[in-house]
């Protein structure tokens, strides 16, 4: 396992980060603890959660994933200090009425959210506290890009960042990150931090996979010039890039089977076509299609740590192994050709 510096934080994180959003919905507490134990053995020291997990987010399950991580800390003395723990506070684009009547990144809500997360996680600090979605109109989760309308923006970035700065001073969080942000948003965060002494954003967590490489259009430049690197989520396009949904297959217990219709953005005709090409390409090169898709993401220079999602220890082991898989130039070129012929089929 390789470890990389998180922005200017001085903290090193494993290049594979363990996602958690299936815990408490698709996975039981015991299954989640088994994944966490195995992840540590594999050298994964970075965990990504959110107050609203598991997904699909529901009022009845709100906070359950964090509580499962908290019970793992409580049952394994000393383990908390071995991991870098990231979680998220929900923002307006999460559009969940059950979260404080409609989440906003304002002072009152952030202050309430952090105390809830710390309590559930049974820890005294979060290493990386991320805003889950911006408080202004942006394209997230496959929704169309709204025309920016400053008059309708929610909490100003300045207010959010100042409150997060107070949490750093109070020792409740160590560093700040953003998620589902745009290049404009990241630069605004950096500018306010430079001017005011508020915390510097250390990472951005956005979707990035072979079916959606929109991140590259503006944010790759921010990553490499301003050192706010990517923590890519859904690197397998929610499992689709493994090829297991091809030809209409719906394996029992798998995400797209269980939550039929909810994640259709990854199952459109163009997505299926691109997936078919990537799967065939991987097989021609004798590589597991899921591992090829993960190795591609992991090898991008703007990626800091790839957030994998697993519903079993077996998936965890296979997905982590992609970190040591080197894709040959000829294969990388072939991947670019598939992309050029059918770019970003998932919105
Ligand atoms: N910031 C955000 O808005 C946001 C959004 C989404 C995710 N995230 C974070 O990113 C993490 C990962 O996202 P994701 O779960 O969507 O990632 P993903 O890697 O695209 O999909 C993971 C899912 O694919 C299936 N899978 C994994 N390995 C496989 C393999 N080798 N072969 C076949 N199927 C496999 C599993 O689901 P099944 O077993 O059900 O098929 C697994 O849950 C989340 O846990 C969360 O921490 C953040």
């Amino acid at each position: 396992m390789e470890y990389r510096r998180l922005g200017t934080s001085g903290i090193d994180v494993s290049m594979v980060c363990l996602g958690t959003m299936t815990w408490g919905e698709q996975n039981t507490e015991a299954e989640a603890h088994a994944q966490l134990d195995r992840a540590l053995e594999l050298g994964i020291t970075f965990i990504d959660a959110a107050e609203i997990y598991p997904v699909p987010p529901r009022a009845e399950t709100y906070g359950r994933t964090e509580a499962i991580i908290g019970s793992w800390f409580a049952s394994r003395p000393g383990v908390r200090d071995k991991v870098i723990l990231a979680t998220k506070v929900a923002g307006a684009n999460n559009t969940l009425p059950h979260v404080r009547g409609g989440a906003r990144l304002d002072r009152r809500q952030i202050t309430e959210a952090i105390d809830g997360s710390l309590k559930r996680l049974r820890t005294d600090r979060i290493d990386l506290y991320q805003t889950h979605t911006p408080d202004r109109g942006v394209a997230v989760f496959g929704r169309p890009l709204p025309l920016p309308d400053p008059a309708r923006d929610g909490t100003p970035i300045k207010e959010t960042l100042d409150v997060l700065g107070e949490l750093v001073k109070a020792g409740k969080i160590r560093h700040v990150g953003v998620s589902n942000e745009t290049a404009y948003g990241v630069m605004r965060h950096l500018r306010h931090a430079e001017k005011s002494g508020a915390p510097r954003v250390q990472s951005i967590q956005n979707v990035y996979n072979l079916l959606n490489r929109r991140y590259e259009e503006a944010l790759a430049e921010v990553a490499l010039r301003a050192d706010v690197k990517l923590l890519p989520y859904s690197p397998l396009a929610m499992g689709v890039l493994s090829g297991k949904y091809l030809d209409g297959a719906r394996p029992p217990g798998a995400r797209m089977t269980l939550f039929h219709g909810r994640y259709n953005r990854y199952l459109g005709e163009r997505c299926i076509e691109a997936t078919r090409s990537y799967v065939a390409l991987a097989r021609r090169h004798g590589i597991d299609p899921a591992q090829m898709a993960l190795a591609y993401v992991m090898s991008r220079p703007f990626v800091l740590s790839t957030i994998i999602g697993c519903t079993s220890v077996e998936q965890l082991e296979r997905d982590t192994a992609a970190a040591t898989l080197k894709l040959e130039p000829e294969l990388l070129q072939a991947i670019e050709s598939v992309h050029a012929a059918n770019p970003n089929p998932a919105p």
Side-chain angles (χ1 to χ4, degrees):
M1 182 61 62
E2 191 183 313
Y3 300 86
R4 297 171 178 165
R5 190 54 50 101
L6 174 69
T8 59
S9 71
I11 288 179
D12 288 333
V13 294
S14 49
M15 67 171 281
V16 178
C17 173
L18 185 58
T20 63
M21 72 182 194
T22 56
W23 303 350
E25 180 69 53
Q26 275 181 274
N27 288 118
T28 63
E29 181 178 52
E31 287 167 347
H33 287 184
Q35 282 188 38
L36 281 160
D37 289 337
R38 185 69 185 123
L40 262 194
E41 286 168 7
L42 294 168
I44 298 174
T45 55
F46 195 17
I47 306 172
D48 176 66
E51 60 165 329
I52 64 166
Y53 289 170
V55 298
R58 294 184 283 131
E60 310 85 270
T61 57
Y62 168 88
R64 209 185 259 176
T65 302
E66 287 186 332
I68 286 174
I69 299 169
S71 65
W72 182 67
F73 288 150
S75 61
R76 273 81 166 162
V79 92
R80 171 66 188 93
D81 293 335
K82 292 188 179 154
V83 298
I84 301 300
L85 175 63
T87 194
K88 310 180 197 84
V89 51
N93 281 278
N94 288 102
T95 50
L96 300 171
H98 68 266
V99 182
R100 297 178 289 280
R104 284 274 184 271
L105 298 173
D106 61 20
R107 172 175 301 279
R108 180 185 68 77
Q109 292 217 25
I110 292 177
T111 311
E112 192 180 321
I114 183 68
D115 287 341
S117 285
L118 288 172
K119 198 167 166 206
R120 285 187 293 274
L121 287 159
R122 303 205 218 176
T123 184
D124 59 351
R125 83 240 175 238
I126 306 296
D127 299 303
L128 180 68
Y129 199 47
Q130 306 158 105
T131 51
H132 203 147
T133 59
D135 252 13
R136 51 177 213 288
V138 292
V140 289
F141 313 131
R143 294 178 210 146
L145 177 69
L147 191 66
D149 181 359
R152 298 182 62 196
D153 285 354
T155 318
I157 286 171
K158 182 178 170 317
E159 175 179 336
T160 301
L161 215 43
D162 286 344
V163 179
L164 294 172
E166 289 166 24
L167 297 186
V168 171
K169 284 201 185 99
K172 293 184 179 185
I173 67 176
R174 293 174 72 193
H175 298 284
V176 170
V178 289
S179 182
N180 297 301
E181 253 300 358
T182 65
Y184 168 84
V186 175
M187 295 313 293
R188 290 292 299 201
H189 278 82
L190 291 179
R191 193 169 80 169
H192 180 60
E194 274 163 19
K195 280 201 321 208
S196 72
R200 182 188 188 280
V201 162
Q202 301 292 6
S203 56
I204 174 166
Q205 178 177 151
N206 275 26
V207 60
Y208 184 71
N209 56 54
L210 286 174
L211 301 183
N212 182 347
R213 290 171 50 183
R214 291 223 160 80
Y215 167 90
E216 291 171 20
E217 287 160 12
L219 280 157
E221 184 172 21
V222 175
L224 296 169
R225 293 190 195 281
D227 195 12
V228 179
K229 292 217 174 89
L230 176 62
L231 308 177
Y233 74 70
S234 297
L236 284 179
M238 301 199 164
V240 169
L241 285 162
S242 69
K244 67 184 176 185
Y245 299 107
L246 285 178
D247 302 318
R250 292 293 178 272
R255 189 182 300 174
M256 299 294 176
T257 311
L258 289 174
F259 309 115
H260 175 74
R262 194 180 168 96
Y263 303 113
N264 271 353
R265 63 186 184 271
Y266 289 115
L267 290 173
E269 218 167 285
R270 282 183 57 219
C271 286
I272 299 293
E273 196 187 314
T275 302
R276 202 183 297 287
S277 303
Y278 289 124
V279 168
L281 190 57
R283 297 226 165 101
R284 271 204 304 280
H285 285 257
I287 298 176
D288 173 72
Q291 289 183 327
M292 182 187 87
L294 289 169
Y296 180 82
V297 170
M298 290 172 181
S299 64
R300 302 301 87 198
F302 44 77
V303 166
L304 181 73
S305 176
T306 300
I307 313 178
I308 60 166
C310 313
T311 54
S312 68
V313 166
E314 196 246 334
Q315 283 179 359
L316 167 63
E317 289 170 350
R318 282 157 73 98
D319 295 355
T320 305
T324 50
L325 179 66
K326 193 171 160 2
L327 303 181
E328 296 304 324
E330 188 207 333
L331 175 53
L332 284 170
Q333 221 169 36
I335 288 175
E336 292 312 321
S337 300
V338 176
H339 174 67
N342 186 358
N344 303 318

